[in-house]
Every structure is written in structure tokens, then in C-alpha cells.
Amino acid sequence: MKRYIFLLISLLLLSACGESANGNNPRPERRPPLVEIATVEYQQEGQTITRTGTLQADRQVKLITEEEGRIAALPVHEGDRISKGDRLLQLNDTQLKAELKKARAQRAQAALDVRRLERLQSSRVVSEDELARARTALDVAQAEEDLLRIRIDNTRINAPFSGVISARLAEPGDAVARFTHVLTLTDDKTLLAALPLSELVLPSLALNDPVTLTLDALGDIRLQGRILRIHPTVDPVTRQGVVEVILNEPPQEARPGQLARVELTLRAQPRLTVPFPALRRDTQGEYVFVYDSDSVHQTRVVSGLHLGEHIEIVNGLNQGQHIVVNGFLGLNDGVKVSLADKKPAEQESAVQ
């Protein structure tokens, strides 16, 4: 009996709740989300960007032997500053000089033979063939002498330009083979940095544009430079090109291998922009919500440069469109919205 009374009371309560939900207390209608919008527009302004690179010498040469032999003199060490034409290396040339002396004697004898045969040939004592062979022997002796002079010159290495010795790989007394790397000479007065830059930035730069550099090793000292080269190709994977900047007057403390922070000023050009908060991202990429009449639509875009409080839109939007910049909670493609701080009658005129 108690069980039946309990079921009856439960049914009465459920019936009362249904009546309250259907009639007495109707659920209020859900209001559309409130959003703030902005207009997609062009901006034309210059911009300064900072990129990092590593200082390197514009000229650096490996000094390599062209003869084999024992090193007789190697008077320079790493860090030594030298001038163009300074003697940097001398190989032992005693044997080559002896061979040159022999070649000179053979050339002198060949010259005497030619003169003697020329006198005899005038009296028809010798034939033309004998005289021709003598002249050929003189030419060979002269060539041998010239070759030995060149080989003796190759036992000496002089500085091709002024700079600093950055590597010494042998010692006096070492026996070296031909084409052995012995020294490295660096022109530390001409320092540059190669910077990887987006393809979107390259059209805004030109040769000899001024740049400002700071070196972490020198603190806040600002150095002046210019764009020396803009490489003609862009990496098809990273979509980046390379720009080389050169220091106008490198300080004595500047060294190849130091980190350089380079400020480049991009030339002003019209760019389609939206406020930075409008740009959203998910696993598929970037998108914005475009406002049209009383609803929003999710639109995929491709962004470019970050310009202060705005960001460039490379693809996906047109000038004059309206996009949501605030009120993203609950937004989805096709959702109806209301404009914040606007009465219903004003919402339509807000986008006219």
C-alpha cells in the first residue's frame, strides 16, 4: 500500500513540474552574442624590423703552398696584423736555386751554339736542320730557366691584402706537400652579416639602404651600416631570401663570429590590415569572422607582417569588409550576432 501511495505522489509532482515548465515559467529566449567589429582597410607606413645574424669577413683566404719542401720561415701567428705584401712563409729553396743555376748555364751554352752555327751557316758549312735544332735547344733551355724561376717564387707566400692571421696550421721545420693549407688570412676591416628574411619583406628593401647594428659583445653601442647584397633567389621551402649588410666603420672590438642584431627600415607601401585581435588560429591555420548583416562567417586568411597593433592580410579579405575584433565566446560559422553598444535599430546602419 505504501508503495502505491509513493508512486502516486511522484506522478503528481512530475505533472506539476511539467505545467510550470510549459506554462507558468516559460524559458527566456537566448540572446545573440554581442561582438565588436572593425573595417578591413589599407595602411601605408614604414616599419622597422630586427633580425639577427653572425658577423663574418667579406674576404678570407686560405694560403696554400704551391711547392713541396721544408718550411724555412713562418714569422706570423694567429692575431698578428699584417700589411699587403708582407712575407708570410718561406720554403727551403736551396735545391731549386741550384737547379736554376744549372739551367742558366745550359741556356747560355745553347745560345753560344746558336750563334756559332749561324756564323757557319752563312758559309754553308752547316745545314738548316742543324741550326733549327740548336735554336730549339735554346728555347727549351730558356723555358727550363723560366720554370725554375716560377718554382722559386712559389716557395714564398706574401700577403695578398692587409688583414689579420686567423689560423696557423704548421710550424717552421715542418715538411709540407704541395697544396697544403698553412695559414688563413682574414680582412677584419670589412665585416658583414647575412640575414634570412621573409619573401614578404624583400620588395621593401633596396641596395645601399641604411641599417643599424648592435653587437651583443659591445653592449648598446649602435653601429651604422648598409645593405650590400640582396640574393636573387628565395628558398622554396622556407620562402626566405638572404640579405647581406655591411658595417660602415667596424670598431676594433668587432670580430667575425659575433652575434649582430640588425634593424632594417622597410619602405612604406599600402598593406591590407586588420586589428591584431581579429586574427584567430586553429589546427588548420588562420581565420577571421567576417560580419555580414546580422551574422558572422568564418573565413580563412593568410597573414603577413605584424604592423604595431595591426597585422597584414596577404590573402582572404577585401578592403571594406567588416570583421569581429571582440566577443568571440560562442561564435561559430553562421551564428547570428548583435553589435555591442548598438541598439537593434542601429545595428543595420552600423555597416552601411
Side-chain angles (χ1 to χ4, degrees):
M1 185 64 178
K2 291 181 179 180
R3 182 180 178 185
Y4 290 113
I5 294 174
F6 176 76
L7 290 175
L8 180 60
I9 294 173
S10 298
L11 291 173
L12 291 174
L13 289 174
L14 289 174
S15 176
C17 291
E19 290 178 359
S20 174
N22 294 328
N24 296 334
N25 296 311
R27 182 176 298 174
E29 183 180 354
R30 185 177 180 182
R31 294 182 179 179
L34 292 178
V35 299
E36 295 180 11
I37 63 172
T39 304
V40 181
E41 57 188 3
Y42 277 100
Q43 291 188 359
Q44 184 164 347
E45 59 180 28
Q47 185 199 13
T48 299
I49 62 174
T50 301
R51 296 293 184 269
T52 59
T54 301
L55 283 186
Q56 60 188 42
D58 189 33
R59 289 193 297 175
Q60 180 170 283
V61 61
K62 294 180 179 179
L63 301 177
I64 296 175
T65 59
E66 296 185 72
E67 286 291 331
E68 62 181 8
R70 180 177 56 82
I71 297 178
L74 190 63
V76 294
H77 295 78
E78 289 94 337
D80 287 352
R81 187 166 297 281
I82 53 91
S83 300
K84 181 178 180 180
D86 286 352
R87 180 64 52 82
L88 304 181
L89 176 141
Q90 174 68 62
L91 297 178
N92 188 333
D93 59 0
T94 303
Q95 180 176 344
L96 290 176
K97 285 182 176 179
E99 292 180 4
L100 176 61
K101 186 176 181 179
K102 176 182 176 181
R104 284 174 177 168
Q106 291 175 337
R107 189 259 307 158
Q109 180 60 52
L112 286 175
D113 291 343
V114 169
R115 288 195 295 270
R116 179 177 59 82
L117 292 175
E118 286 177 342
R119 288 194 301 269
L120 294 174
Q121 199 271 340
S122 61
S123 58
R124 310 251 179 212
V125 175
V126 297
S127 66
E128 290 286 344
D129 288 343
E130 289 180 291
L131 181 57
R133 286 194 294 270
R135 286 171 175 169
T136 300
L138 176 59
D139 291 341
V140 171
Q142 182 65 61
E144 184 67 23
E145 182 181 351
D146 293 342
L147 176 61
L148 286 168
R149 284 200 187 97
I150 293 173
R151 292 187 63 188
I152 290 174
D153 288 341
N154 289 342
T155 63
R156 302 183 289 267
I157 296 180
N158 299 328
F161 54 83
S162 298
V164 64
I165 299 298
S166 55
R168 170 173 152 149
L169 305 175
E171 297 295 332
D174 288 351
V176 294
R178 294 180 65 192
F179 310 123
T180 299
H181 178 197
V182 178
L183 297 168
T184 299
L185 177 63
T186 299
D187 179 7
D188 62 340
K189 295 301 183 182
T190 307
L191 296 178
L192 56 84
L195 309 174
L197 293 174
S198 167
E199 62 180 351
L200 304 176
V201 171
L202 296 178
S204 301
L205 299 173
L207 293 179
N208 296 317
D209 280 356
V211 301
T212 302
L213 300 91
T214 57
L215 306 179
D216 285 7
L218 304 186
D220 296 330
I221 299 176
R222 296 174 67 83
L223 307 172
Q224 301 305 310
R226 60 183 176 86
I227 294 179
L228 178 65
R229 302 183 186 95
I230 300 178
H231 290 204
T233 59
V234 172
D235 190 304
V237 177
T238 64
R239 307 299 179 189
Q240 289 188 328
V242 176
V243 172
E244 295 182 22
V245 300
I246 186 170
L247 276 168
N248 292 340
E249 297 180 1
Q252 186 175 358
E253 298 82 1
R255 299 282 189 274
Q258 291 176 334
L259 178 68
R261 303 183 188 276
V262 184
E263 294 182 5
L264 305 103
T265 300
L266 306 183
R267 295 184 177 181
Q269 60 179 343
R271 301 178 186 275
L272 196 65
T273 65
V274 299
F276 189 76
L279 188 65
R280 319 301 292 175
R281 292 179 176 85
D282 60 15
T283 56
Q284 298 179 8
E286 301 173 321
Y287 66 92
V288 297
F289 285 105
V290 175
Y291 178 84
D292 184 13
S293 184
D294 60 351
S295 61
V296 295
H297 303 281
Q298 191 180 54
T299 301
R300 293 287 167 182
V301 298
V302 177
S303 66
L305 298 178
H306 193 175
L307 307 170
E309 296 181 354
H310 290 73
I311 190 164
E312 180 185 16
I313 299 299
V314 179
N315 189 23
L317 294 177
N318 297 315
Q319 183 182 16
Q321 288 183 289
H322 300 278
I323 43 92
V324 176
V325 296
N326 196 8
F328 296 99
L329 185 62
L331 284 194
N332 288 302
D333 188 45
V335 168
K336 293 186 178 298
V337 297
S338 296
L339 299 184
D341 299 329
K342 295 290 184 181
K343 297 179 181 179
E346 296 176 337
Q347 292 181 15
E348 186 174 352
S349 62
V351 294
Q352 294 298 324

